[in-house]
Amino acid sequence: MGKRQHQKDKMYITCTEYTNYYGGKRNVIPQANFRRLPFDHCSLSLQPFEYPVCTEEGVLFDLLSIVPWIKRFGTNPISGEKLEAKSLIKLNFAKNNDGKYHCPVLYNIFTNNSHIVTNKVTGNVFSHEAVEQLNIKTKSFRDLLTDEPFARKDIITIQDPTNLDKFNVSDFFHVKNNLKVLDPDEEKAKLHPSYHLKTTNLETRETLAELYKDYKGDKLLASTMLEPVAKKTDKLNAAHYSTGRVSASFTSTAMTPATTHEADAIADDTVRYQYVKKKGYVRLHTNKGDVNLELHCDKVPKAGENFVRLCKKGYYDETVFHRSIRNFMIQGGDPTGTGTGGESFWGKPFKDEFRPNLSHTGRGILSMANSGPNTNKSQFFITFRSCNYLDRKHTIFGRVVGGFEALTAMENVESDPKSDKPKSEIKLISATVFVDPYEEADAQIAAERAKELQRQEDEKEQASVSLKKTKERQAQKTFKEGVGKYINPSKVVKRPAAEDESGPSTSGASTSGASTRGPSTRGPSTSGASTSGASTRGPSTSGASTSGASTRGPSTSGASTSGASAAKKSKGKSSLGDFSSW
C-alpha cells in the first residue's frame, strides 16, 4: 500500500542480489592448513628472535639459528633455494619501556597487523606509514635515524598485512621435509639411552625393573631406573616452601607418589650472595697505564662475580678495546676484538641487575655491555662522562678509583668515525684481583656448614647416650629365680606382730572369764562341754559350751553361752601380724 510500494521492484538484477542470491563472485575461503607465524618469531626455530636478520625477500630469522643451518645445508629454510650468510641483513628493532617493538619515528607498537619495512642499508626498522610520509612522498631517501642516503629499492617489506603467505608455517620448506639442525647439547643428550624416556610412572618403572632383572646389562633399561637426584638441604639453603612433589604426585600418574613434604633448596648463588658484604678491587694493566677499579659486589653480585672470575681466569689478558668514542665511553672485554664475541664465566648470558642507587653519573663508571635485556656476557665499558640515559639499560657493577690519567690517555686516541675502532691499539695486558669477596663468602659458608654438621653430630651422640641410659633405667633387675625375682630382699621391711589383749570373737558369746590363747584342739568336740581354758577350732555340736571357753568354729543355731560378756570384733589381726594389706 502507498505510493512507493513498488520502488524496489527493478527490471534488472542488482549487484547485491547477484552476489548474495545468485552465486556470483564468492569471497576467497582461507586455507584450512594456514598457520600464522608472528612477526617477531624466527622462521626457522619458530621462537621469538634475539638477534634478528632477514633476507632480501623480508623473511625473518634469528642469527643463532640460521647460521648453523646455512653451514649444514646452504639453502633457504623457507623456499629451499640457495642462500649465503653474507646476503643476510642485520635488523635493528626499537623497543619501548615495556619491551615491545615499535616504530622509532611514530612510536606505533608493532602487531601482527602492522605494515613493517626496513632499510637495507642501515637495517633500521620503521612502520610503512613513516617511510611513506617522510621518504617516499617527499622524495628524500635518507634514513630517518642515521640520515644515511639510500635508494627506494633498498626498502624491504618485512610484514604486509594484505599478503601473509611468507608467514604460513605450513608452507615452509623445512617444515614440509621435517629438516632440523640439532645443537651440540641436544645431539649429546640424544646419545643418552634415557633421551626418549624422560618421565615414567610407577607402573612403568616396576615393569622395566622386572625386565631389567631378566636382561641385565641393557643400558636403555638401566637408565630408566635412575631416580631423580634430590638436592640436599641444610640450615642455609632450605626454603620456607616445599618442593611440591606431594601435590604433583597426587594429581599426576607420571610421577612416583610422595607422601612426605620436603623443603625446597634455594639456589647456591642466592645463598652465597647473602654473605657478600664487601667491595671487590681489581687493577687493569693496559699499554696506556694502570686503571684501578672498585666493584660493587655487595649490590650487583652476579656481574661482579663474572668480572672477578674472568679476570682470575686470564680471560681478558691480551685483549683490545675495540670501541672508543670521545666524550662517551670505551668498550672492551671481547677476545675476538670484533665486538660480537665473548662469553660469561658460566658460558651463557646472565640477567641484568639494576639498582636505584647506581647511576651512570660522572666519569669512570664501569658497566656491562649487552645486545638487549638480560644478555650480559664478558664485554664491559667505562664512561668518559655522565650517561644517565643508559640507566636501567646496562648493569653498573663498578667505578674507577685510580688511574684517571690512563683513562684520559685512552680517550685521546683517535678512532675511525665509521666503526669507532681506535686507530692505534689500546690493549688490556692483564688484570690483577686484590680483593675477592666471593672467596671469603665461600669460606664463611663452609665454616658455618661444618659448625652445623658438628652440632648435629653432637646432638645425635647426646641422644644416643640418653637413650642408652633410659633403656638401662627401664630394664628390671632380677635378684633370684622364680616368683618374686624382681623384689630386692635388702629393701623389704618386716613389720612386727601387733599384740592385742582381746582375741578374735566367735559368732557366739564368750564365757564369763577371759578367753584362753593357748592351743586349741582341731578335732570336733564331744557332745559334752570342752575343757576349761581351751577353745575348740572345730565345729561344735548342738549343745552349750562350758563356761570359761570360747568356740572358734561356727556354732549351731539356738546355742548361746551364759554369763559371758560380748567380745570385741576382730580387726584382721592375728599372731602373724596385720594381713589386711596383703
Side-chain angles (χ1 to χ4, degrees):
M1 301 298 291
K3 295 181 179 180
R4 299 181 180 180
Q5 59 178 334
H6 300 292
Q7 184 176 8
K8 293 185 179 180
D9 295 341
K10 298 180 175 59
M11 302 302 294
Y12 56 90
I13 299 176
T14 62
C15 180
T16 303
E17 293 175 345
Y18 183 83
T19 304
N20 296 332
Y21 303 109
Y22 302 100
K25 183 177 182 296
R26 296 183 180 179
N27 294 327
V28 179
I29 300 175
Q31 298 179 0
N33 59 349
F34 181 82
R35 291 189 295 167
R36 174 74 160 86
L37 180 70
F39 77 96
D40 59 345
H41 282 52
C42 173
S43 299
L44 178 58
S45 64
L46 307 183
Q47 299 295 326
F49 52 68
E50 294 183 3
Y51 307 99
V53 295
C54 75
T55 61
E56 295 182 355
E57 294 79 16
V59 181
L60 291 176
F61 297 104
D62 192 299
L63 183 64
L64 301 180
S65 300
I66 190 61
V67 171
W69 174 279
I70 295 176
K71 287 182 178 180
R72 181 170 181 179
F73 299 103
T75 59
N76 189 330
I78 304 303
S79 60
E81 299 177 355
K82 185 178 180 181
L83 179 65
E84 295 181 355
K86 62 182 181 180
S87 63
L88 297 176
I89 302 169
K90 181 182 177 182
L91 300 180
N92 300 319
F93 276 89
K95 285 187 177 181
N96 57 12
N97 294 332
D98 297 332
K100 297 181 179 180
Y101 295 112
H102 71 102
C103 175
V105 177
L106 301 180
Y107 298 100
N108 296 333
I109 297 177
F110 292 150
T111 63
N112 290 335
N113 298 319
S114 302
H115 197 166
I116 307 172
V117 297
T118 184
N119 188 345
K120 181 180 178 181
V121 178
T122 61
N124 295 326
V125 180
F126 307 97
S127 64
H128 181 265
E129 183 181 359
V131 174
E132 184 180 12
Q133 296 293 333
L134 301 177
N135 291 125
I136 298 177
K137 286 188 176 181
T138 60
K139 297 183 180 180
S140 176
F141 294 100
R142 286 184 173 274
D143 190 88
L144 300 177
L145 294 180
T146 62
D147 202 34
E148 295 183 24
F150 66 94
R152 183 166 183 172
K153 62 180 180 180
D154 294 331
I155 300 176
I156 299 176
T157 301
I158 294 179
Q159 177 180 258
D160 185 359
T162 61
N163 185 14
L164 300 176
D165 291 339
K166 65 180 180 181
F167 291 97
N168 187 5
V169 179
S170 303
D171 293 338
F172 290 174
F173 177 79
H174 69 94
V175 175
K176 289 182 177 180
N177 297 276
N178 196 18
L179 299 177
K180 186 179 180 182
V181 177
L182 298 177
D183 56 1
D185 295 337
E186 190 172 357
E187 289 181 353
K188 185 178 179 180
K190 198 170 183 179
L191 298 176
H192 197 272
S194 62
Y195 177 79
H196 300 285
L197 293 175
K198 292 182 180 180
T199 56
T200 54
N201 56 14
L202 181 61
E203 184 178 359
T204 306
R205 287 179 182 274
E206 293 176 352
T207 305
L208 293 175
E210 295 295 332
L211 292 174
Y212 184 68
K213 291 179 181 180
D214 299 334
Y215 302 98
K216 292 183 178 180
D218 192 337
K219 295 182 179 180
L220 179 63
L221 294 177
S223 62
T224 59
M225 303 309 298
L226 299 176
E227 291 289 339
V229 180
K231 190 176 181 180
K232 294 183 179 180
T233 58
D234 52 14
K235 181 181 178 181
L236 301 180
N237 66 344
H240 64 278
Y241 49 87
S242 68
T243 58
R245 293 185 59 85
V246 175
S247 58
S249 63
F250 180 75
T251 58
S252 174
T253 59
M255 293 184 63
T256 304
T259 57
T260 305
H261 285 284
E262 297 179 357
D264 198 3
I266 304 175
D268 294 337
D269 289 343
T270 305
V271 177
R272 291 174 61 246
Y273 295 157
Q274 294 176 356
Y275 290 84
V276 178
K277 305 296 183 181
K278 298 173 61 178
K279 303 283 187 181
Y281 293 92
V282 178
R283 174 175 294 171
L284 302 181
H285 306 282
T286 68
N287 59 348
K288 300 296 181 182
D290 295 343
V291 179
N292 297 331
L293 304 176
E294 180 187 66
L295 307 180
H296 304 309
C297 299
D298 54 338
K299 299 178 181 178
V300 281
K302 192 75 173 180
E305 184 180 15
N306 177 68
F307 189 78
V308 170
R309 293 286 183 263
L310 292 178
C311 289
K312 282 190 170 184
K313 185 181 177 181
Y315 190 82
Y316 294 132
D317 296 352
E318 301 299 326
T319 60
V320 297
F321 289 90
H322 59 273
R323 188 183 182 194
S324 178
I325 303 176
R326 185 172 296 181
N327 295 325
F328 180 33
M329 61 87 200
I330 184 170
Q331 183 175 341
D334 182 9
T336 63
T338 60
T340 60
E343 291 292 337
S344 68
F345 176 75
W346 302 277
K348 57 182 180 180
F350 58 92
K351 293 185 178 181
D352 296 323
E353 295 174 292
F354 300 135
R355 298 293 181 267
N357 55 346
L358 296 178
S359 176
H360 293 83
T361 303
R363 182 180 175 87
I365 299 299
L366 180 64
S367 186
M368 292 297 299
N370 57 40
S371 58
N374 304 321
T375 58
N376 302 291
K377 294 182 180 179
S378 65
Q379 296 188 34
F380 61 91
F381 64 90
I382 304 174
T383 61
F384 292 140
R385 64 176 182 86
S386 298
C387 305
N388 295 329
Y389 54 88
L390 297 179
D391 294 348
R392 300 197 62 81
K393 294 181 181 178
H394 296 270
T395 300
I396 303 171
F397 67 97
R399 64 189 181 96
V400 177
V401 294
F404 283 95
E405 299 83 2
L407 189 64
T408 303
M410 295 180 189
E411 185 180 6
N412 292 333
V413 176
E414 293 185 3
S415 301
D416 186 2
K418 291 186 178 180
S419 61
D420 297 328
K421 185 176 182 180
K423 292 182 178 180
S424 61
E425 189 176 67
I426 304 176
K427 180 177 288 188
L428 175 57
I429 301 173
S430 62
T432 304
V433 179
F434 291 105
V435 178
D436 184 2
Y438 301 98
E439 288 186 352
E440 300 177 4
D442 293 339
Q444 185 179 358
I445 292 174
E448 290 194 11
R449 282 181 171 166
K451 184 178 179 180
E452 180 67 17
L453 184 61
Q454 183 65 30
R455 186 187 65 82
Q456 292 178 359
E457 291 179 356
D458 294 342
E459 289 181 355
K460 288 182 181 179
E461 185 176 356
Q462 292 178 0
S464 62
V465 171
S466 61
L467 181 62
K468 185 177 181 181
K469 289 182 179 179
T470 303
K471 289 183 178 180
E472 291 178 355
R473 194 181 301 114
Q474 292 177 353
Q476 295 181 349
K477 185 178 180 180
T478 57
F479 298 93
K480 61 181 180 179
E481 298 295 333
V483 179
K485 61 181 179 180
Y486 299 113
I487 300 176
N488 189 354
S490 62
K491 295 184 179 181
V492 175
V493 179
K494 295 182 179 180
R495 299 179 180 178
E499 296 181 358
D500 194 357
E501 294 179 354
S502 61
S505 61
T506 60
S507 60
S510 61
T511 60
S512 59
S515 63
T516 61
R517 300 187 67 179
S520 61
T521 59
R522 297 197 177 198
S525 62
T526 59
S527 60
S530 62
T531 60
S532 151
S535 62
T536 60
R537 301 186 70 176
S540 61
T541 59
S542 60
S545 61
T546 61
S547 62
S550 63
T551 60
R552 302 187 69 176
S555 61
T556 59
S557 60
S560 63
T561 58
S562 62
S565 62
K568 296 181 180 180
K569 293 183 179 181
S570 176
K571 296 183 179 180
K573 294 183 179 180
S574 66
S575 61
L576 298 178
D578 188 1
F579 56 85
S580 62
S581 61
W582 287 15

